[in-house]
Amino acid sequence: MSHPNLVALATITRREVTRILRIWAQTLVPPAITMTLYFLIFGNLIGSRIGDMGGYTYMDFIVPGLVMMAVIQNSYGNISSSFFGAKFGRHIEEMLVSPMPNWVILGGYVAGAVLRGLMVGVIVLGIAMLFTRVRVPHPFITLATVLLGATIFSLAGFINAVFAKKFDDVAIVPTFILTPLTYLGGVFYSVDLLPQWASTMTHANPIFYMVNAFRFGLLNDSDVSMTLAFGLMLGFVVAFSAFGLWLLKRGIGLRS
Amino acid sequence: MTTVPALEIRELRKVYATGVEALKGVSLSVQPGDFFALLGPNGAGKSTLIGIVSSLVNASSGAVKVFGIDIGTQREAAMRLLGLVPQEVNFNFFEKPFDILCNYAGFYGVARTEARRRAEEELRRAQLWEKAFTTARTLSGGMKRRLMIARAMMTKPRLLILDEPTAGVDIEIRRGMWRILREVNAAGTTVILTTHYLEEAESMCRNLAIIDRGEIIENGPMKTLLSKLDVEGFLLDIDGELPAELPHIEGIALHAEDRHTLDLEMPRAMHLNQIFARLDEAGIRVRSMRTKTNRLEELFVRLTGSKEAA
């Protein structure tokens, strides 16, 4: 790896991973505890009274959604807090004055956030396997969904951080947009249970497609076609990447 | 054969979104190997100028070239030649100095093994090696400033720009930083310095520009500019007490600062011997003398019409 841009990309990624591991108690442990509680309460205590969902035990049914939710939230949270922290602490200037092209800055931060999403995904899925009979019949689809989902929400977190002027701005989007979209994205229920209008609205929620693609990877079952799900995810990656690079080129929120 | 300037600025303008016109068509040229001072009162446009050169601020119009490379069209190539020590501390306080330096070099494409070697070299030169693996937030103010110089030197820049690098550090540390900067300059790096300490600029820099309200009002060799000062001021410490009536000496201004100190302002063309002879005749014995004001400070105040130093 001798090309300067690849060295720079590896440097940002390494710095992000070092940060994730340095503050592991904030980055890796909370999702494990939260997911264990979800499995205990929704899966075991309440889930046993709900019965089957789409032909699976309720606990098995919610596993893909919970893992995907953890991946999405952690990817988003990693990049929004890290990039905004760099802006707030002004060490973003180290990168802005360097010869790095914009795609390296964006790529490095996204790679770090995706890796956190993967780490959390592996931890949460490992916990899920202890509580359920869920395994991974479609490993390629499972991995591809995690990577694409984490990339989309890393890019979204980056865009949020670029526009954020204070720490509150970084918290607003996850609270008022990301969490409702996640909970209404079919994590806890099958879309078949919803009335027509709610089902139609759910189909406009991008997280719904990620959860279902992931559910296909783990349970071999989905409410949507894989072609549509992956097409949409790739579309979001392209659109958000283009917007992120445009923001960096214009220096919006970064250069005066 | 003409030499390509280390920094060439042409008709640089910056109007912020607030409508403030920070730079009003600044043109400036700094030659390779120079130790150059950029001075000006607070709000004169120095930091905006440095911000544009280092690509942290977008120019409204004008051109900037670093060793002939236009930062507008070839930003990446130009930035490889530039090192910046900003006014505000801007490294991650939660990282270790060694990692801060290695990562910074990595952003410029320096491979990890080489970055680690350079980091040790620069931390030792900045006398920070003992702190290399402690968290950066525990460093003192002077150490943080030296760390920023060490960081800038990690990429071996051909042009080093320092925005008030010695602000707020004690004289011992400041002298240590001067030593480092002289070494860097002697090794061939062009250095541009802004500072509040005008004696620092006078003792270190060969050329200077003074910027005021977004315009360059003076630019040239330090010696030439200082020679424009036609008056010098001294404070004389007197043996015993001054007489009630001071002697009148043609062309100079004398007044008592207190009963033991005489304030003297004289034309540069006049010899001190003449004045000492007249004072001696009046029974005034001079025990010691010191310069009343720094010469550059005097010039600066006259040009900018401000009592506020750089």
Side-chain angles (χ1 to χ4, degrees), chain A residues 141-196:
Chain A
I141 287 182
T142 305
L143 184 63
T145 308
V146 168
L147 290 176
L148 284 171
T151 304
I152 291 166
F153 283 92
S154 302
L155 289 163
F158 175 82
I159 293 164
N160 184 181
V162 166
F163 285 108
K165 290 189 167 65
K166 51 189 188 298
F167 277 103
D168 287 350
D169 298 341
V170 175
I172 283 172
V173 175
T175 306
F176 294 102
I177 298 174
L178 198 57
T179 305
L181 281 179
T182 310
Y183 278 79
L184 297 172
V187 171
F188 296 104
Y189 51 82
S190 168
V191 74
D192 295 340
L193 299 176
L194 300 174
Q196 187 57 43

Side-chain angles (χ1 to χ4, degrees), chain B residues 174-193:
Chain B
R174 205 182 309 160
R175 284 183 177 168
M177 289 165 76
W178 293 353
R179 175 186 55 75
I180 293 171
L181 294 179
R182 284 194 177 104
E183 278 176 23
V184 166
N185 182 243
T189 303
T190 308
V191 179
I192 298 177
L193 175 78

Side-chain angles (χ1 to χ4, degrees), chain B residues 2 9 24 28 38 51 57 60 87 93 103 116-117 134 146 148 167 216 218 223 230 248 250-251 255 289 295 300:
Chain B
T2 54
I9 296 170
K24 302 170 183 170
L28 192 64
L38 179 65
V57 176
S60 301
Q87 199 176 118
F93 281 12
N103 287 337
R116 292 170 70 87
R117 190 192 65 73
T134 58
R146 277 183 283 155
M148 289 203 293
I216 299 287
E218 197 61 78
K223 281 183 183 168
D230 49 359
H248 173 77
E250 189 65 34
H255 75 266
M289 65 182 284
R295 292 183 306 157
F300 180 85

Side-chain angles (χ1 to χ4, degrees), chain A:
Chain A
M1 190 192 294
S2 57
H3 192 283
N5 288 341
L6 292 180
V7 172
L9 186 70
T11 302
I12 300 177
T13 309
R14 185 190 296 111
R15 190 164 87 161
E16 286 301 291
V17 172
T18 305
R19 174 184 164 275
I20 293 164
L21 297 177
R22 188 178 64 227
I23 53 171
W24 57 274
Q26 294 172 49
T27 53
L28 302 177
V29 174
I33 293 173
T34 309
M35 289 305 129
T36 306
L37 290 171
Y38 269 121
F39 290 129
L40 282 174
I41 295 167
F42 289 102
N44 210 349
L45 298 176
I46 298 174
S48 60
R49 292 166 187 250
I50 293 173
D52 284 2
M53 179 81 66
Y56 300 93
T57 66
Y58 187 64
M59 195 140 79
D60 284 2
F61 181 83
I62 64 171
V63 166
L66 290 178
V67 175
M68 210 53 209
M69 185 166 81
V71 169
I72 287 169
Q73 288 178 342
N74 279 277
S75 305
Y76 190 98
N78 193 76
I79 201 164
S80 60
S81 62
S82 178
F83 195 79
F84 181 73
K87 262 176 67 176
F88 187 79
R90 299 186 64 166
H91 49 271
I92 190 68
E93 291 175 3
E94 289 181 330
M95 284 176 264
L96 297 179
V97 302
S98 79
M100 272 191 290
N102 292 330
W103 70 264
V104 172
I105 298 177
L106 183 63
Y109 270 97
V110 168
V114 168
L115 283 170
R116 174 162 160 194
L118 270 178
M119 286 184 230
V120 167
V122 167
I123 291 169
V124 174
L125 188 58
I127 292 169
M129 285 176 160
L130 295 176
F131 286 90
T132 65
R133 290 169 291 131
V134 168
R135 295 297 175 262
V136 191
H138 300 292
F140 178 74
I141 287 182
T142 305
L143 184 63
T145 308
V146 168
L147 290 176
L148 284 171
T151 304
I152 291 166
F153 283 92
S154 302
L155 289 163
F158 175 82
I159 293 164
N160 184 181
V162 166
F163 285 108
K165 290 189 167 65
K166 51 189 188 298
F167 277 103
D168 287 350
D169 298 341
V170 175
I172 283 172
V173 175
T175 306
F176 294 102
I177 298 174
L178 198 57
T179 305
L181 281 179
T182 310
Y183 278 79
L184 297 172
V187 171
F188 296 104
Y189 51 82
S190 168
V191 74
D192 295 340
L193 299 176
L194 300 174
Q196 187 57 43
W197 65 268
S199 174
T200 307
M201 283 185 71
T202 302
H203 280 80
N205 180 353
I207 293 178
F208 171 68
Y209 296 90
M210 291 173 210
V211 169
N212 271 283
F214 199 62
R215 186 165 285 143
F216 185 83
L218 296 188
L219 301 178
N220 203 22
D221 184 40
S222 169
D223 289 337
V224 296
S225 86
M226 285 303 98
T227 311
L228 178 62
F230 277 92
L232 271 174
M233 285 193 280
L234 284 169
F236 272 110
V237 169
V238 171
F240 283 180
S241 299
F243 189 49
L245 288 172
W246 181 79
L247 289 173
L248 281 170
K249 186 180 179 188
R250 294 291 304 273
I252 291 169
L254 301 170
R255 302 180 204 267
S256 43

